[in-house]
């Protein structure tokens, strides 16, 4: 479904614009920027019209897709609780998801996700919305923080030279993300009814990565921990559609090999064989160290929470004495969750200060 502007009614409908690599894997935009926003004052219908006008101006200025601009404006629980007629948020607040986590659980009014194959374009859009000029939104929105990053073959190695990253790797840990069979479809994560009907929910977490320890392991070991002990480096490179990696056989394979695969563990969260979240994560060097801004879309936050909980593979410790909560257990030992935030993504028609209180 499209709007009168010709753009999809769902803000999160990006994937029809993606190209594919020679093997058929989808190629997301190469550069990303998350603008974390706080609302100042009490926006009214005129403020909503001004914000919507600015976003439409930018959509007219740039093509829709990675060669131009993709946007998704999401709103946090605090927005819905403090500023809308709903009084109760249609999206749950973030939670710590493992006993070794101690993330900052953020309360952010809004998050504007910008994406493009052109890094300088994202800076232009930010300056247009939050700098001197006719589209300036600073009368009602304050930028609390900007999170930047990239995803694409060769970019991590270029941005972090000397760290031993594979030259062709699209992400910091060296493997493809977003394989079609390992992703919930945009349609599947679209909410059917309620205040966010036609939209979705978004989770944003900031992870730092221990790439030094990760790359001290050989390629086959990294493949086993990312996917499953049955997947060696050559098999991992050849994955095109899916990365379920023997999820149903986790107990037996853990007992036999003493290692759990990340994809193998998360695969157990699927419903009827289908993934529950749509990943839009990207690598970052924010703060001067390698990391990931993990962005995911899902119909409810329960879908994310279940997927993240089974990623821990807490039961695997019972299947082999060498496997611990983090030791030899997927990528758990190599990530540190610094923060988590949750947002509701309205349809495009409601994206500008949705459900304003009268």
């Amino acid at each position: 479904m499209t709007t009168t502007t010709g753009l999809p009614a769902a803000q999160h409908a990006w994937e029809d614009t993606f190209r594919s690599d020679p093997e058929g894997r989808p190629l997301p935009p190469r550069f990303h920027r998350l603008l974390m926003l706080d609302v100042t004052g009490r926006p009214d219908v005129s403020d909503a019209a001004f914000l919507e006008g600015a976003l439409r101006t930018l959509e007219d200025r740039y093509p829709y897709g990675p060669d131009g601009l993709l946007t998704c404006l999401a709103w946090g629980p605090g927005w819905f609780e403090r500023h809308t007629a709903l009084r109760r948020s249609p999206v749950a607040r973030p939670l710590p998801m493992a006993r070794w986590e101690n993330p900052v659980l953020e309360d952010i009014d809004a998050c504007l996700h910008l994406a493009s194959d052109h890094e300088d374009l994202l800076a232009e859009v930010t300056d247009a919305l939050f700098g001197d000029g006719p589209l300036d939104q600073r009368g009602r929105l304050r930028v609390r923080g900007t999170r930047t990053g990239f995803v694409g073959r060769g970019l991590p190695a270029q941005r972090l030279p000397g760290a031993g990253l594979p030259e062709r790797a699209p992400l910091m840990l060296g493997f493809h993300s977003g394989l079609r069979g390992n992703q919930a479809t945009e349609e599947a994560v679209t909410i059917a009814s309620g205040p966010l009907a036609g939209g979705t929910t978004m989770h944003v977490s900031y992870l730092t990565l221990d790439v030094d320890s990760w790359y001290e392991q050989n390629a086959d070991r990294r493949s086993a921990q990312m996917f499953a002990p049955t997947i060696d480096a050559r098999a991992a490179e050849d994955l095109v559609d899916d990365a379920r990696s023997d999820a149903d056989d986790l107990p037996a394979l853990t007992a036999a090999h003493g290692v759990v695969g990340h994809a193998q563990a998360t695969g157990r969260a699927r419903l009827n064989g289908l993934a529950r979240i749509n990943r839009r994560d990207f690598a970052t060097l924010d703060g001067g160290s390698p990391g990931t801004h993990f962005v995911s879309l899902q119909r409810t936050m329960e879908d994310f929470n279940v997927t993240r909980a089974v990623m821990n593979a807490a039961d695997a410790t019972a299947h082999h004495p060498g496997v611990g909560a983090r030791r030899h257990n997927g990528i758990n030992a190599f990530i540190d969750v610094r923060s988590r935030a949750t947002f509701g993504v309205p349809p495009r028609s409601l994206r500008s200060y949705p459900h304003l209180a009268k």
Side-chain angles (χ1 to χ4, degrees):
M1 183 182 296
T2 59
T3 66
T4 56
T5 63
L7 298 182
Q11 289 193 79
H12 60 283
W14 289 10
E15 292 176 1
D16 281 349
T17 70
F18 293 1
R19 294 184 289 271
S20 298
D21 69 11
E23 292 78 23
R25 291 178 285 246
L27 294 173
R30 288 168 63 83
F31 300 101
H32 295 255
R33 181 173 288 211
L34 302 175
L35 300 180
M36 298 306 194
L37 307 172
D38 288 326
V39 173
T40 60
R42 299 200 64 82
D44 57 24
V45 292
S46 65
D47 297 310
F50 183 56
L51 174 57
E52 184 61 24
L55 294 172
R56 291 193 181 191
T57 296
L58 293 170
E59 289 165 345
D60 289 340
R61 184 177 299 172
Y62 304 107
Y64 186 74
D67 196 45
L69 177 67
L70 290 166
T71 68
C72 190
L73 179 56
W75 297 86
W79 162 259
F80 293 104
E81 293 165 0
R82 293 188 289 267
H83 297 279
T84 76
L86 300 177
R87 302 300 180 189
R88 183 174 180 179
S89 174
V91 59
R93 289 183 175 273
L95 300 167
M97 297 303 300
R99 67 175 185 268
W100 59 83
E101 283 189 7
N102 187 29
V104 176
L105 302 178
E106 297 180 301
D107 181 9
I108 300 172
D109 285 330
C111 173
L112 178 58
H113 187 174
L114 306 172
S116 176
D117 280 347
H118 307 287
E119 192 170 17
D120 55 348
L121 186 152
L122 300 184
E124 290 176 10
V125 170
T126 302
D127 288 342
L129 289 173
F130 298 100
D132 296 334
L135 306 184
D136 184 8
Q137 300 296 312
R138 288 177 294 178
R140 281 290 177 261
L141 290 172
R142 178 179 65 85
V143 180
R144 180 192 297 193
T146 300
R147 303 178 188 182
T148 64
F150 46 88
V151 55
R153 184 172 292 184
L155 284 174
Q158 292 171 21
R159 299 295 173 102
L160 197 63
L165 276 65
E167 290 185 5
R168 290 161 51 89
L171 288 166
M172 287 291 184
L173 297 186
F175 297 103
H176 302 286
S177 178
L179 304 177
R180 293 188 193 280
N182 206 36
Q183 285 270 74
T185 65
E186 290 174 336
E187 181 180 8
V189 302
T190 300
I191 297 168
S193 62
L196 294 175
T200 189
T201 71
M202 183 166 74
H203 177 273
V204 178
S205 54
Y206 173 36
L207 319 176
T208 55
L209 303 176
D210 183 358
V211 296
D212 292 337
S213 296
W214 178 252
Y215 286 105
E216 286 175 358
Q217 306 175 113
N218 64 40
D220 286 341
R221 182 67 178 189
R222 296 197 302 271
S223 299
Q225 293 200 200
M226 180 59 73
F227 297 106
T230 54
I231 305 294
D232 61 17
R234 177 61 182 271
E237 179 65 24
D238 290 342
L239 288 171
V240 171
D241 181 65
D242 205 353
R244 189 176 181 188
S245 306
D246 304 317
D248 295 336
D249 298 326
L250 187 149
L253 290 174
T254 302
H257 297 273
V259 63
V260 177
H262 167 67
Q264 181 184 38
T266 55
R268 298 192 296 175
R270 295 186 180 194
L271 291 176
N272 300 317
L274 300 176
R276 299 170 69 166
I277 69 173
N278 182 289
R279 294 178 50 164
R280 298 201 168 164
D281 50 304
F282 51 93
T284 186
L285 289 172
D286 287 351
S289 60
T292 296
H293 291 304
F294 190 92
V295 180
S296 71
L297 307 178
Q298 50 282 311
R299 189 169 290 183
T300 71
M301 286 314 304
E302 181 184 5
D303 292 315
F304 172 82
N305 292 343
V306 168
T307 301
R308 179 60 184 84
V310 300
M311 170 187 152
N312 292 336
D315 61 309
T317 60
H319 304 312
H320 193 285
V323 175
R326 304 183 76 180
R327 185 179 67 254
H328 308 317
N329 193 337
I331 60 173
N332 294 342
F334 304 94
I335 62 174
D336 183 27
V337 183
R338 297 296 181 88
S339 65
R340 295 191 183 279
T342 56
F343 302 91
V345 181
R348 195 175 303 274
S349 61
L350 293 177
R351 64 182 168 179
S352 298
Y353 302 114
H355 300 290
L356 268 172
K358 299 295 185 183

